[in-house]
Amino acid sequence: MRFGVEIFLEKEMLPKDKNRIILSIIKNCFSSCNKEYYKALYKDTPNQTKDFTFSLYLGDCKFLREEILVPSKKIYLNFSTYHNEDGIMFFNSMLMNKGKAFSIRDNTYTIGKINLKREKLITEHQVIFKTMSPIVAREHQGDNKKTWYHSLNTEEGQAVFLENLQYQLKDAFGEGILMDSRKLSIEVSQDNKEVKVKNYGIEILSNLAKIRIQGAPYILDYLYKAGIGSKRGSGFGMVDIV
Protein backbone atom coordinates (compact mmCIF):
# COMPACT_ATOMS: atom_id res chain seq x y z
CA MET A 1 0.00 0.00 0.00
CA ARG A 2 1.18 3.51 -0.83
CA PHE A 3 0.19 6.83 0.65
CA GLY A 4 1.03 10.50 0.28
CA VAL A 5 0.72 12.90 3.22
CA GLU A 6 0.95 16.69 3.22
CA ILE A 7 2.93 18.14 6.13
CA PHE A 8 2.88 21.88 6.79
CA LEU A 9 5.82 23.62 8.50
CA GLU A 10 5.41 26.64 10.75
CA LYS A 11 8.88 27.91 9.72
CA GLU A 12 10.58 27.53 6.36
CA MET A 13 13.83 25.99 7.71
CA LEU A 14 14.05 22.19 7.88
CA PRO A 15 17.07 20.43 9.50
CA LYS A 16 19.15 18.25 7.18
CA ASP A 17 18.61 15.44 9.71
CA LYS A 18 14.99 15.50 8.50
CA ASN A 19 14.26 11.75 8.42
CA ARG A 20 14.67 11.69 12.19
CA ILE A 21 11.89 14.26 12.55
CA ILE A 22 9.54 12.48 10.16
CA LEU A 23 10.15 9.15 11.89
CA SER A 24 9.35 10.80 15.21
CA ILE A 25 6.01 12.00 13.77
CA ILE A 26 5.23 8.54 12.39
CA LYS A 27 6.05 6.90 15.73
CA ASN A 28 3.90 9.42 17.60
CA CYS A 29 0.99 8.72 15.25
CA PHE A 30 1.36 4.94 15.58
CA SER A 31 1.55 5.21 19.37
CA SER A 32 -1.53 7.43 19.65
CA CYS A 33 -3.52 5.13 17.35
CA ASN A 34 -2.52 1.72 18.72
CA LYS A 35 -0.03 1.38 21.56
CA GLU A 36 0.26 -2.41 21.19
CA TYR A 37 1.17 -2.09 17.51
CA TYR A 38 3.72 0.62 18.30
CA LYS A 39 5.21 -1.45 21.14
CA ALA A 40 5.52 -4.55 18.94
CA LEU A 41 7.19 -2.51 16.20
CA TYR A 42 9.64 -0.38 18.19
CA LYS A 43 9.92 -1.60 21.80
CA ASP A 44 9.64 -5.39 21.99
CA THR A 45 12.38 -5.90 19.36
CA PRO A 46 14.15 -2.52 18.90
CA ASN A 47 16.16 -3.49 15.80
CA GLN A 48 13.31 -5.36 14.13
CA THR A 49 13.39 -5.06 10.35
CA LYS A 50 10.51 -3.00 9.01
CA ASP A 51 8.74 -3.91 5.78
CA PHE A 52 7.95 -0.29 5.05
CA THR A 53 9.84 2.72 3.84
CA PHE A 54 9.28 6.42 3.23
CA SER A 55 10.62 9.35 1.26
CA LEU A 56 10.17 13.12 1.26
CA TYR A 57 9.39 15.52 -1.56
CA LEU A 58 10.53 19.02 -0.63
CA GLY A 59 9.52 20.90 -3.77
CA ASP A 60 11.48 24.02 -4.69
CA CYS A 61 13.95 24.01 -1.82
CA LYS A 62 17.54 25.13 -1.20
CA PHE A 63 20.14 23.08 0.68
CA LEU A 64 22.19 25.23 3.08
CA ARG A 65 25.07 24.22 5.37
CA GLU A 66 23.01 22.66 8.17
CA GLU A 67 19.43 23.26 7.08
CA ILE A 68 17.13 23.14 4.08
CA LEU A 69 15.18 26.22 3.06
CA VAL A 70 11.60 25.29 2.11
CA PRO A 71 9.92 28.56 1.02
CA SER A 72 6.52 26.89 0.52
CA LYS A 73 6.61 25.59 4.12
CA LYS A 74 5.02 22.39 2.83
CA ILE A 75 6.63 18.96 2.36
CA TYR A 76 5.16 15.73 1.05
CA LEU A 77 5.66 12.40 2.83
CA ASN A 78 5.50 9.27 0.66
CA PHE A 79 4.97 5.99 2.52
CA SER A 80 5.03 2.45 1.12
CA THR A 81 4.61 -0.93 2.79
CA TYR A 82 4.39 -4.57 1.77
CA HIS A 83 1.96 -5.53 4.55
CA ASN A 84 -1.64 -4.37 4.51
CA GLU A 85 -1.66 -4.25 8.32
CA ASP A 86 1.11 -1.64 8.29
CA GLY A 87 -0.68 0.31 5.56
CA ILE A 88 -4.02 0.36 7.37
CA MET A 89 -2.31 1.34 10.61
CA PHE A 90 -0.40 4.15 8.86
CA PHE A 91 -3.56 5.50 7.20
CA ASN A 92 -5.65 5.32 10.38
CA SER A 93 -2.94 6.88 12.54
CA MET A 94 -2.36 9.76 10.11
CA LEU A 95 -6.11 10.33 9.76
CA MET A 96 -6.50 10.35 13.54
CA ASN A 97 -3.77 13.01 13.83
CA LYS A 98 -4.79 15.10 10.81
CA GLY A 99 -4.61 18.77 11.76
CA LYS A 100 -2.49 18.03 14.83
CA ALA A 101 0.73 20.07 15.24
CA PHE A 102 3.93 18.33 16.36
CA SER A 103 6.57 20.63 17.87
CA ILE A 104 10.02 19.20 17.16
CA ARG A 105 13.38 20.98 17.29
CA ASP A 106 12.36 24.62 16.85
CA ASN A 107 9.65 23.99 14.29
CA THR A 108 6.06 22.78 14.18
CA TYR A 109 4.76 20.16 11.75
CA THR A 110 1.05 19.81 11.00
CA ILE A 111 -0.43 16.83 9.18
CA GLY A 112 -2.65 17.73 6.24
CA LYS A 113 -4.33 15.73 3.49
CA ILE A 114 -3.72 11.94 3.22
CA ASN A 115 -4.01 10.15 -0.14
CA LEU A 116 -3.98 6.48 -1.08
CA LYS A 117 -1.83 5.94 -4.17
CA ARG A 118 -2.30 3.36 -6.90
CA GLU A 119 0.41 0.67 -6.97
CA LYS A 120 1.92 -0.72 -10.15
CA LEU A 121 1.64 -4.40 -11.05
CA ILE A 122 4.80 -6.46 -11.61
CA THR A 123 4.48 -9.54 -13.79
CA GLU A 124 7.88 -9.68 -15.52
CA HIS A 125 11.17 -11.13 -14.26
CA GLN A 126 12.94 -7.80 -14.39
CA VAL A 127 12.12 -4.25 -13.46
CA ILE A 128 13.90 -0.90 -13.44
CA PHE A 129 13.51 0.92 -10.17
CA LYS A 130 14.26 4.61 -9.64
CA THR A 131 14.98 5.92 -6.19
CA MET A 132 12.57 8.14 -4.29
CA SER A 133 14.93 8.16 -1.30
CA PRO A 134 18.65 7.25 -1.30
CA ILE A 135 19.72 3.60 -1.27
CA VAL A 136 22.03 2.40 1.50
CA ALA A 137 24.45 -0.51 1.05
CA ARG A 138 25.58 -1.34 4.58
CA GLU A 139 28.21 -3.77 5.81
CA HIS A 140 27.43 -4.47 9.45
CA GLN A 141 29.27 -6.83 11.78
CA GLY A 142 27.10 -6.60 14.89
CA ASP A 143 28.73 -3.49 16.31
CA ASN A 144 28.16 0.13 15.29
CA LYS A 145 31.94 0.59 15.34
CA LYS A 146 32.14 -2.09 12.66
CA THR A 147 29.64 -0.62 10.23
CA TRP A 148 30.64 0.58 6.78
CA TYR A 149 28.55 2.26 4.10
CA HIS A 150 29.41 1.55 0.48
CA SER A 151 28.80 3.38 -2.75
CA LEU A 152 26.98 1.57 -5.55
CA ASN A 153 29.67 2.99 -7.85
CA THR A 154 32.03 0.20 -6.79
CA GLU A 155 31.87 -3.54 -7.38
CA GLU A 156 32.30 -4.09 -3.64
CA GLY A 157 29.37 -1.73 -2.93
CA GLN A 158 27.14 -3.55 -5.40
CA ALA A 159 28.11 -6.91 -3.85
CA VAL A 160 27.24 -5.59 -0.37
CA PHE A 161 23.93 -4.23 -1.70
CA LEU A 162 23.06 -7.63 -3.20
CA GLU A 163 23.89 -9.28 0.15
CA ASN A 164 21.63 -6.70 1.85
CA LEU A 165 18.78 -7.65 -0.51
CA GLN A 166 19.27 -11.38 0.14
CA TYR A 167 19.33 -10.82 3.90
CA GLN A 168 16.21 -8.64 3.64
CA LEU A 169 14.35 -11.34 1.68
CA LYS A 170 15.40 -14.11 4.06
CA ASP A 171 14.18 -11.99 6.97
CA ALA A 172 10.83 -11.41 5.26
CA PHE A 173 10.15 -14.85 3.76
CA GLY A 174 12.39 -17.28 5.68
CA GLU A 175 14.89 -19.89 4.52
CA GLY A 176 12.54 -21.09 1.77
CA ILE A 177 13.37 -18.09 -0.39
CA LEU A 178 17.13 -18.73 -0.53
CA MET A 179 17.07 -20.53 -3.89
CA ASP A 180 15.15 -17.68 -5.57
CA SER A 181 17.04 -14.87 -3.82
CA ARG A 182 20.42 -16.27 -4.95
CA LYS A 183 19.27 -15.82 -8.56
CA LEU A 184 18.86 -12.06 -8.12
CA SER A 185 21.04 -9.86 -10.29
CA ILE A 186 21.39 -6.08 -10.33
CA GLU A 187 22.59 -3.46 -12.78
CA VAL A 188 23.17 0.08 -11.50
CA SER A 189 22.81 2.99 -13.93
CA GLN A 190 26.04 4.75 -14.90
CA ASP A 191 24.58 8.15 -14.06
CA ASN A 192 23.85 7.28 -10.44
CA LYS A 193 24.69 9.93 -7.88
CA GLU A 194 26.48 9.53 -4.55
CA VAL A 195 24.93 11.51 -1.69
CA LYS A 196 25.67 11.83 1.99
CA VAL A 197 22.54 11.99 4.10
CA LYS A 198 22.61 13.18 7.70
CA ASN A 199 20.81 10.64 9.85
CA TYR A 200 20.84 10.83 13.66
CA GLY A 201 23.97 12.98 13.47
CA ILE A 202 25.87 10.61 11.16
CA GLU A 203 26.49 11.26 7.47
CA ILE A 204 25.52 8.11 5.59
CA LEU A 205 26.97 7.43 2.16
CA SER A 206 24.16 6.40 -0.19
CA ASN A 207 23.10 6.58 -3.84
CA LEU A 208 20.35 8.01 -6.00
CA ALA A 209 20.08 5.78 -9.04
CA LYS A 210 18.11 3.70 -11.44
CA ILE A 211 18.63 -0.02 -10.80
CA ARG A 212 17.60 -2.91 -13.02
CA ILE A 213 16.85 -5.97 -10.87
CA GLN A 214 16.19 -9.41 -12.30
CA GLY A 215 14.38 -11.96 -10.19
CA ALA A 216 11.08 -13.71 -9.55
CA PRO A 217 8.08 -11.33 -9.89
CA TYR A 218 6.94 -11.94 -6.29
CA ILE A 219 10.38 -10.85 -5.05
CA LEU A 220 10.37 -7.73 -7.23
CA ASP A 221 6.87 -6.91 -5.97
CA TYR A 222 8.09 -7.20 -2.37
CA LEU A 223 11.10 -4.95 -3.03
CA TYR A 224 8.91 -2.38 -4.79
CA LYS A 225 6.58 -2.16 -1.80
CA ALA A 226 8.97 -2.64 1.15
CA GLY A 227 11.91 -0.71 -0.30
CA ILE A 228 15.44 -1.87 -1.08
CA GLY A 229 18.69 -1.88 0.85
CA SER A 230 19.35 -1.00 4.49
CA LYS A 231 17.66 1.49 6.84
CA ARG A 232 14.37 1.43 4.96
CA GLY A 233 12.34 2.07 8.09
CA SER A 234 14.35 5.28 8.60
CA GLY A 235 13.47 6.72 5.22
CA PHE A 236 15.92 5.12 2.80
CA GLY A 237 15.45 2.85 -0.22
CA MET A 238 11.96 3.82 -1.38
CA VAL A 239 11.60 3.19 -5.10
CA ASP A 240 9.19 3.60 -7.95
CA ILE A 241 9.04 1.71 -11.25
CA VAL A 242 10.38 3.39 -14.39
Side-chain angles (χ1 to χ4, degrees), residues 65-77:
R65 186 177 179 84
E66 293 294 335
E67 296 177 299
I68 306 168
L69 176 65
V70 185
S72 67
K73 294 194 285 188
K74 184 172 82 171
I75 59 179
Y76 202 74
L77 166 64

Side-chain angles (χ1 to χ4, degrees), residues 6-132:
E6 288 179 336
I7 298 178
F8 297 96
L9 284 59
E10 182 183 33
K11 303 172 184 174
E12 59 187 10
M13 302 305 291
L14 181 68
K16 281 191 174 177
D17 204 345
K18 59 193 181 309
N19 287 10
R20 182 178 190 170
I21 290 171
I22 299 304
L23 187 56
S24 175
I25 293 172
I26 292 173
K27 285 181 176 180
N28 268 287
C29 290
F30 281 159
S31 178
S32 67
C33 183
N34 188 319
K35 291 193 182 303
E36 288 302 313
Y37 173 81
Y38 168 78
K39 183 170 174 287
L41 206 56
Y42 292 105
K43 296 296 183 183
D44 292 347
T45 311
N47 295 321
Q48 176 186 346
T49 302
K50 316 294 188 297
D51 281 331
F52 61 72
T53 182
F54 65 86
S55 67
L56 292 175
Y57 176 70
L58 306 180
D60 187 14
C61 64
K62 183 176 182 180
F63 280 75
L64 307 176
R65 186 177 179 84
E66 293 294 335
E67 296 177 299
I68 306 168
L69 176 65
V70 185
S72 67
K73 294 194 285 188
K74 184 172 82 171
I75 59 179
Y76 202 74
L77 166 64
N78 297 294
F79 181 91
S80 177
T81 177
Y82 179 73
H83 294 296
N84 287 341
E85 180 192 6
D86 291 333
I88 292 168
M89 191 60 65
F90 178 82
F91 180 77
N92 287 341
S93 66
M94 286 289 153
L95 198 60
M96 177 182 287
N97 288 281
K98 184 179 179 182
K100 181 177 178 179
F102 295 86
S103 294
I104 305 172
R105 295 180 64 184
D106 299 327
N107 208 342
T108 299
Y109 304 83
T110 303
I111 295 174
K113 192 184 302 180
I114 304 124
N115 293 315
L116 175 65
K117 294 188 167 184
R118 185 184 297 273
E119 292 179 316
K120 296 168 184 172
L121 184 64
I122 297 176
T123 57
E124 304 294 330
H125 282 73
Q126 74 169 10
V127 66
I128 299 175
F129 291 123
K130 63 179 179 182
T131 50
M132 296 177 68

Side-chain angles (χ1 to χ4, degrees), residues 199-212:
N199 187 250
Y200 287 83
I202 299 172
E203 286 199 335
I204 294 179
L205 178 62
S206 49
N207 288 79
L208 295 169
K210 290 179 183 174
I211 299 183
R212 184 192 305 273

